């Protein structure tokens, strides 16, 4: 440990600075120039699928009330990292996560932590719309029901209606709340999934390419919705479309081959990236 | 750039019409391959359909006539000269119930002792006044247990004494065989089962309309019978099968589904569970008679369950059906899209909530189908039941699952081996038709339930 490479030395310095500055470091700047509280913090996260390593030493801070976008070529580990945040990787056989991920300073991989409670605090929207084959009402009511969030039937109904409204779906489905959710169009299904996630009032919402299965009009609606949700939630979105990242996010993280190459305010990453690889990706050289 | 060369379409230097000719040639080849394949497929289907049609045709041809059997429509006179019994006892004012019961039984015994064969003979004589009848001929023509029918009528209603009523008496099995031409009419007397006089009597009664073909309700209301083959029915075997089906459904479905859920959703993937999985798959292929041996060893010898009881049979069939249900349930659990699981887990559902709220409901149609296939398979199973004594001759309808009974397929097996082949061959075919109808009904129920469950989702 006596000899350090320059990179290691730099990392060592950064770590000490972080430790020393403590509280001060807990905020981050977004393009609207407001300092934001950090909600999710990852440090040196490595993920393995069996023998294969999928993520290498990823460290990132995710601020509240903003949209953080993960971009990068397919297979670079965006989804893998997203799944680390609500421990969905636990459900994959052979997946192993090490490093530190914390929500409001609380270690998410603490063995004493209840995963079920964690997932009520960190909601997830998946790439392919996956409503339950039940009624629209049941889809949205399911989360609050299992977590015991509503004390009465009317309270539950209120939660369902509010969530559908927040997901801008209520007007379209108010006459058919008791029809199956799988009968909706793709875009409506995805907004239903968002409503379902919102219904448990999570603090963070993770979205894994939520628009990749949608047509442009549905995509626009979902993007608009994400922008509205930003007011109240911490949102992390994986997208393969750089335009989408530019449209909806305040911060962008670029992943390549399992490494977090660069991360910063979205306009900075897109206009003046620090790394050559980011530059190449954004200008369409690869990916 | 260097890459542009390799991006050019292959064979770009070839003249256009040569290319077209090559494409057309390959197209012809593909089309003829397709036609050939379609012909193979269609002939395979045609052969299979041919066999099925032949099978059904021959069973229908043999079995349908057995649903009708000859009966003598005669006027029976309860003549006081023959029916010599005291009046039916009545409950006297000072009599205790026990005494009254004893008196009633004594009276019934007396009624049974009446020469009912004589009553029948008189009735037949009335239908054919000019023939000189012997008791033997009459008894060869009328099914033996019909005398109990008259007795029961009289016990039920003693007021019949001295009256004449219309009664339908089933003809004997041999009469049935003779009338349906199931025995060669030109055979000599020594090779006929009925005497010449009895055959003439039958022909005579048939011509004058006394003997009519009636729908064979005894097939559905009686248990097996040796003494009176014409009155042998399937009810006993049917109830036996019903009890076993109920036992299979009650035991195999919950145990099978629970094991499948545990193995598929909860069990860790290791050597032990792999071994269990392989063994379950192998169990499904174990010959059913082996399950019978196991059942005989475990349920009969060790647990001392009664022989020939539907309970033991049902347990054996449960063991046999379990692998089918486990495998089918696991397959339908596997087929549930992972996105539903992710959705549930992502919302914070626990594993058990995920399985029971979301995964299992989707698999209901699959489990239902598996259950009905398993039950139908169990319903049609004969071999293992033979080993636990369910091939015994049982002339009563079982009232509990602990009574002696047979099962429908075993009854078919027993009838097929009956020495009165001319009579029992068509009856066997009729029993097969009934078994097939039960199977078809089960399948119809499966399809109905399946479509209902699917519509609900
Ligand atoms: N369930 C899994 N099992 C094994 N390897 C996986 C699994 N999921 C993803 N990977 C691997 O991890 C790497 C990152 O995948 P992923 O996170 O899905 O990429 P992205 O979402 O950026 O396209 C890929 O090389 C992929 O093959
Ligand atoms: Mg992905």
């Amino acid at each position: 440990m006596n000899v350090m490479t320059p990179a290691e030395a730099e990392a060592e310095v950064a770590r000490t600075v972080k430790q020393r500055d403590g509280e001060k470091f807990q905020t981050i700047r977004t393009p609207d120039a407001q300092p934001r509280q950090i909600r999710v913090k990852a440090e040196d996260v490595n993920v393995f699928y069996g023998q294969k390593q999928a993520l290498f030493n990823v460290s990132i801070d995710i601020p509240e009330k903003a949209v953080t976008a993960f971009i990068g070529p397919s297979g670079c580990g965006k989804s893998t990292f997203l799944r680390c945040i609500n421990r969905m990787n636990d459900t994959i056989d052979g997946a192993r996560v090490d490093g530190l991920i914390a929500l409001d300073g609380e270690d998410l991989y603490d063995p004493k932590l209840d995963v079920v409670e964690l997932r009520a605090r960190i909601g997830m929207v998946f790439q392919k719309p996956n409503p339950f084959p039940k009624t629209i009402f049941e889809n949205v009511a399911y989360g609050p029901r299992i977590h015991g969030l509503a004390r009465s039937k009317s309270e539950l109904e209120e939660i369902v209606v509010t969530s559908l409204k927040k997901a801008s779906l209520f007007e379209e489905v108010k006459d058919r709340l008791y029809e199956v959710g799988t009968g909706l169009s793709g875009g409506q299904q995805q907004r239903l999934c968002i409503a379902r996630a919102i219904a448990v009032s999570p603090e963070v919402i993770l979205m894994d390419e939520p628009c990749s299965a949608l047509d442009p009009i549905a995509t626009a609606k979902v993007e608009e919705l994400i922008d509205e949700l930003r007011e109240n939630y911490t949102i992390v979105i994986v997208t393969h479309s750089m335009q989408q990242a530019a449209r909806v996010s305040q911060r962008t993280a670029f992943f390549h081959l399992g490494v977090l190459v660069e991360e910063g305010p979205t306009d900075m990453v897109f206009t003046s990236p620090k790394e050559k690889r980011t530059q190449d990706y954004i200008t369409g050289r690869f990916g | 750039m260097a890459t542009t060369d390799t991006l050019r379409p292959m064979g770009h230097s070839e003249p256009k019409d040569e290319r077209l000719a090559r494409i057309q040639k390959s197209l012809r080849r593909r089309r003829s391959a397709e036609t050939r394949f379609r012909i193979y497929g269609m002939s395979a289907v045609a052969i299979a359909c041919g066999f099925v049609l032949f099978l059904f045709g021959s069973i229908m041809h043999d079995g349908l006539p057995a649903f009708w059997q000859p009966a003598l429509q005669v006027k029976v006179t309860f003549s006081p000269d023959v029916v010599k019994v005291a009046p039916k006892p009545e409950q006297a004012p000072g009599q205790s119930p026990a005494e009254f019961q004893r008196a009633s039984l004594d009276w019934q015994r007396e009624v049974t002792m009446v020469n009912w064969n004589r009553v029948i003979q008189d009735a037949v004589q009335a239908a054919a006044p000019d023939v000189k009848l012997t008791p033997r001929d009459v008894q060869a023509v009328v099914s033996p247990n019909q005398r109990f029918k008259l007795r029961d009528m009289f016990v039920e209603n003693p007021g019949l004494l001295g009256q004449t009523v219309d009664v339908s008496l089933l003809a004997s099995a041999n009469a049935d065989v003779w009338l349906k031409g199931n025995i060669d009419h030109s055979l000599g007397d020594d090779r006929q089962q009925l005497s010449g006089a009895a055959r003439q009597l039958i022909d005579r009664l048939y011509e004058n309309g006394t003997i009519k073909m009636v729908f064979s309700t005894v097939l559905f209301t009686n248990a097996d019978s040796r003494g009176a083959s014409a009155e042998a029915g399937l009810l006993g075997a049917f109830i036996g099968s019903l009890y076993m089906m109920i036992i299979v459904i009650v035991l195999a479905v919950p145990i099978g589904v629970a094991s499948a859920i545990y193995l598929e959703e909860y069990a860790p993937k290791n050597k032990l569970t792999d071994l269990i999985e392989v063994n379950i798959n192998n169990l499904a292929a174990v010959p059913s008679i082996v399950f019978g041996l196991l059942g005989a060893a475990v349920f009969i010898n060790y647990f001392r369950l009664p022989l020939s009881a539907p309970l033991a049979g049902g347990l054996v069939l449960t063991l046999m059906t379990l692998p089918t249900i486990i495998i089918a349930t696991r397959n339908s659990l596997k087929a549930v899209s992972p996105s539903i699981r992710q959705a549930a887990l992502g919302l914070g559902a626990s594993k058990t909530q995920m399985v029971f709220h979301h995964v299992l409901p989707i698999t209901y149609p699959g489990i239902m189908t598996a259950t009905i296939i398993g039950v139908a398979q169990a319903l049609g199973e004969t071999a293992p039941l033979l080993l636990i004594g369910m091939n015994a001759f049982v002339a009563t309808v079982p009232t509990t699952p602990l009574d002696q009974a047979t099962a429908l397929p075993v009854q078919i097996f027993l009838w097929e081996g009956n020495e009165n082949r001319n009579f029992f061959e068509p009856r066997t075919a009729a029993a097969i038709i009934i078994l097939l109808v039960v199977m078809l009904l089960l399948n119809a129920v499966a399809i109905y339930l399946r479509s209902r469950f699917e519509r609900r989702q």
Side-chain angles (χ1 to χ4, degrees):
Chain A
M1 273 313 286
N2 289 338
V3 189
M4 267 188 184
T5 63
E8 272 170 354
E10 202 178 87
E12 183 61 30
V13 171
R15 256 201 296 281
T16 355
V17 169
K18 261 188 219 169
Q19 272 163 15
R20 191 193 58 213
D21 288 1
E23 263 316 294
K24 202 155 76 184
F25 205 80
Q26 295 295 306
T27 59
I28 227 171
R29 293 178 70 80
T30 52
D32 45 12
Q34 283 182 19
R36 301 264 191 219
Q37 188 81 32
I38 290 166
R39 296 305 298 271
V40 178
K41 192 172 187 65
E43 264 174 48
D44 293 329
V45 173
N46 290 286
V47 179
F48 303 83
Y49 292 113
Q51 296 300 312
K52 189 168 157 263
Q53 186 162 6
L55 281 181
F56 300 84
N57 294 318
V58 173
S59 299
I60 188 174
D61 293 332
I62 295 171
E64 66 166 359
K65 297 188 179 166
V67 177
T68 303
F70 293 172
I71 59 170
S74 156
C76 65
K78 309 179 293 287
S79 301
T80 299
F81 185 64
L82 196 72
R83 285 198 298 263
C84 290
I85 302 177
N86 68 346
R87 289 187 53 179
M88 282 297 275
N89 279 333
D90 290 13
T91 66
I92 298 175
D93 280 333
R96 186 162 61 80
V97 179
D98 62 39
L100 176 86
I101 303 179
L103 172 64
D104 294 334
E106 190 184 344
D107 181 6
L108 297 184
Y109 283 78
D110 184 343
K112 286 200 289 285
L113 181 119
D114 184 355
V115 184
V116 167
E117 191 208 315
L118 166 68
R119 296 206 186 116
R121 294 173 64 193
I122 304 185
M124 188 158 191
V125 175
F126 297 84
Q127 184 165 359
K128 220 181 102 218
N130 56 356
F132 299 127
K134 298 179 192 285
T135 62
I136 294 173
F137 184 91
E138 276 307 312
N139 262 283
V140 184
Y142 183 68
R145 193 173 279 152
I146 57 172
H147 295 299
L149 297 184
R151 266 170 308 231
S152 65
K153 205 161 170 277
S154 58
E155 220 173 275
L156 186 65
E157 275 163 13
E158 201 183 304
I159 293 178
V160 171
V161 171
T162 329
S163 310
L164 284 171
K165 277 185 181 150
K166 278 195 209 154
S168 331
L169 186 62
F170 186 69
E171 286 307 313
E172 287 159 67
V173 300
K174 64 180 176 206
D175 301 323
R176 45 174 171 157
L177 286 180
Y178 297 97
E179 283 171 31
V180 283
T182 38
L184 297 172
S185 76
Q188 289 173 325
Q189 287 190 18
Q190 195 61 302
R191 277 179 286 148
L192 177 61
C193 293
I194 295 175
R196 183 175 66 185
I198 296 173
V200 286
S201 324
E203 296 153 41
V204 181
I205 302 178
L206 310 175
M207 300 186 179
D208 192 352
E209 304 198 24
C211 301
S212 67
L214 305 185
D215 61 77
I217 294 171
T219 300
K221 282 205 166 149
V222 172
E223 282 179 7
E224 212 173 289
L225 170 61
I226 293 171
D227 202 49
E228 285 165 21
L229 293 175
R230 172 166 66 92
E231 295 298 319
N232 300 306
Y233 300 91
T234 302
I235 295 176
V236 185
I237 178 173
V238 170
T239 171
H240 60 248
S241 143
M242 281 175 285
Q243 290 82 351
Q244 185 170 60
R247 281 193 301 263
V248 301
S249 73
Q250 284 72 53
R251 288 185 73 82
T252 295
F254 170 60
F255 285 77
H256 184 45
L257 297 175
V259 176
L260 173 57
V261 176
E262 180 167 354
E263 181 258 339
T266 297
D267 50 356
M268 301 272 279
V269 172
F270 277 92
T271 52
S272 49
K274 291 187 224 105
E275 294 277 336
K276 170 123 190 343
R277 275 177 293 172
T278 318
Q279 173 87 47
D280 286 351
Y281 180 69
I282 283 166
T283 52
R285 284 299 155 69
F286 65 85
Chain B
M1 271 166 106
T3 52
T4 44
D5 269 354
T6 56
L7 284 177
R8 279 210 196 128
M10 287 231 307
H12 60 102
S13 55
E14 213 174 3
K16 201 174 165 193
D17 34 348
E18 216 170 286
R19 256 169 67 85
L20 271 179
R22 267 171 51 184
I23 289 176
Q24 267 161 8
K25 199 163 149 235
S26 91
L27 211 58
R28 263 202 301 285
R29 215 170 39 237
R30 278 182 280 171
R31 286 225 179 92
S32 66
E34 232 162 81
T35 318
R36 237 178 301 131
F37 184 75
R38 203 172 307 148
I39 290 172
Y40 292 153
M42 278 182 337
S43 26
V45 170
I47 291 172
C49 284
F51 277 120
V52 169
L53 282 182
F54 177 75
L55 178 73
F56 276 100
S58 93
I59 289 175
M60 290 291 169
H61 175 265
D62 289 352
L64 283 182
F67 283 98
W68 283 267
Q69 65 185 105
L72 294 82
Q73 316 296 326
V74 287
K75 291 194 184 313
V76 172
T77 306
F78 292 83
S79 150
D81 296 340
V82 187
V83 188
K84 282 184 277 202
V85 287
K88 188 174 186 175
E90 306 253 341
Q91 172 97 47
Q95 203 179 20
S96 75
E99 273 174 68
F100 170 66
Q101 185 135 30
R102 193 154 351 104
S104 294
L105 283 175
D106 285 344
W107 180 76
Q108 279 185 25
R109 201 166 307 124
E110 209 183 325
V111 173
T112 307
M113 300 304 285
V114 165
N115 188 354
W116 292 107
N117 283 337
R118 181 64 209 229
V119 179
I120 292 176
Q121 188 179 337
D122 290 347
V124 176
Q125 185 74 72
D130 51 329
V131 185
K132 191 161 165 7
L133 292 179
T134 66
R136 276 184 57 161
D137 294 339
V138 174
Q139 279 166 41
V141 172
V142 179
S143 180
N145 287 355
Q146 294 298 299
R147 58 179 194 268
F148 300 126
K149 180 172 178 179
L150 296 184
R151 176 200 63 188
D152 293 345
M153 281 173 73
F154 186 75
V155 168
E156 197 62 32
N157 178 12
L160 286 173
L161 190 66
Q163 294 200 7
T164 302
V165 286
D166 286 323
V167 179
S168 174
L169 297 174
L170 278 185
S172 68
N174 286 333
D176 178 279
V177 172
W178 174 260
L179 276 173
K180 285 178 181 162
N182 286 338
I183 189 166
D184 190 349
H185 285 202
S186 62
L187 287 176
D189 263 355
D190 53 334
R191 297 182 56 197
Q192 292 285 354
Q193 280 161 323
L194 291 166
S195 67
R199 287 173 351 237
Q200 272 171 3
L201 177 62
I202 294 169
D203 284 338
R204 176 67 209 284
L205 291 173
Y206 189 64
E207 272 155 30
N208 74 15
T210 306
I211 294 186
K212 285 206 175 71
M213 288 291 173
V214 299
F215 187 73
S216 173
T217 48
V218 287
L219 206 48
F220 301 94
T221 57
N222 284 9
D224 199 7
S225 172
R226 284 243 169 107
S229 304
E231 294 166 50
L234 286 170
L235 186 64
F238 180 80
I239 299 291
S241 281
L242 191 70
Y243 278 136
M244 290 195 278
M245 267 166 56
I246 292 173
I247 290 169
V248 169
I249 291 175
V250 166
L251 291 180
V253 175
I255 297 177
V257 172
S259 330
I261 292 175
Y262 178 75
L263 287 173
E264 193 57 40
E265 305 285 341
Y266 294 92
K269 302 268 171 287
N270 56 28
K271 288 254 159 55
L272 181 67
T273 47
D274 281 352
L275 190 73
I276 291 176
E277 165 147 24
V278 168
N279 276 310
I280 288 175
N281 290 342
N282 286 340
L283 272 186
V286 165
S288 57
I289 196 148
V290 176
F291 284 100
L293 276 173
L294 178 75
V298 175
F299 300 126
I300 308 285
N301 285 346
Y302 187 76
F303 286 111
R304 301 270 164 213
L305 291 184
L307 268 176
S308 316
L311 179 61
L315 290 174
V316 168
L317 295 179
T318 300
L319 289 184
M320 214 193 72
T321 314
L322 268 176
T324 313
I325 294 186
I326 294 179
I327 292 171
T329 306
R330 286 190 71 174
N331 286 341
S332 30
L333 287 173
K334 268 197 204 112
V336 174
S337 129
S339 69
I340 296 291
R341 297 162 186 274
Q342 285 174 351
L345 292 177
L347 271 178
S350 66
K351 191 150 190 172
T352 307
Q353 285 171 329
M354 172 193 89
V355 171
F356 285 92
H357 295 168
H358 301 291
V359 177
L360 208 51
I362 295 178
T363 62
Y364 283 159
I367 295 176
M368 193 74 69
T369 317
T371 303
I372 301 217
I373 289 173
V375 168
Q377 205 182 337
L379 180 69
E381 201 53 70
T382 322
L385 301 182
L386 301 183
L387 289 174
I388 52 167
M390 296 203 72
N391 55 341
F393 166 72
V394 181
T396 51
V397 177
T399 46
T400 71
L402 287 167
D403 293 343
Q404 294 202 324
T406 64
L408 279 176
V410 179
Q411 188 70 71
I412 290 171
F413 172 76
L414 291 174
W415 279 2
E416 184 62 35
N418 190 291
E419 51 282 9
N420 192 351
R421 294 194 61 79
N422 289 335
F423 179 70
F424 272 105
E425 245 170 36
R427 277 243 148 163
T428 309
I432 292 174
I433 292 176
I434 292 173
L435 182 64
L436 288 178
V437 168
V438 174
M439 298 273 191
L440 284 180
L441 285 179
L442 272 181
N443 279 310
V445 170
I447 292 170
Y448 171 74
L449 288 177
R450 204 192 161 100
S451 64
R452 254 193 60 161
F453 272 115
E454 272 167 1
R455 224 177 309 129
R456 265 213 255 151
Q457 280 167 17

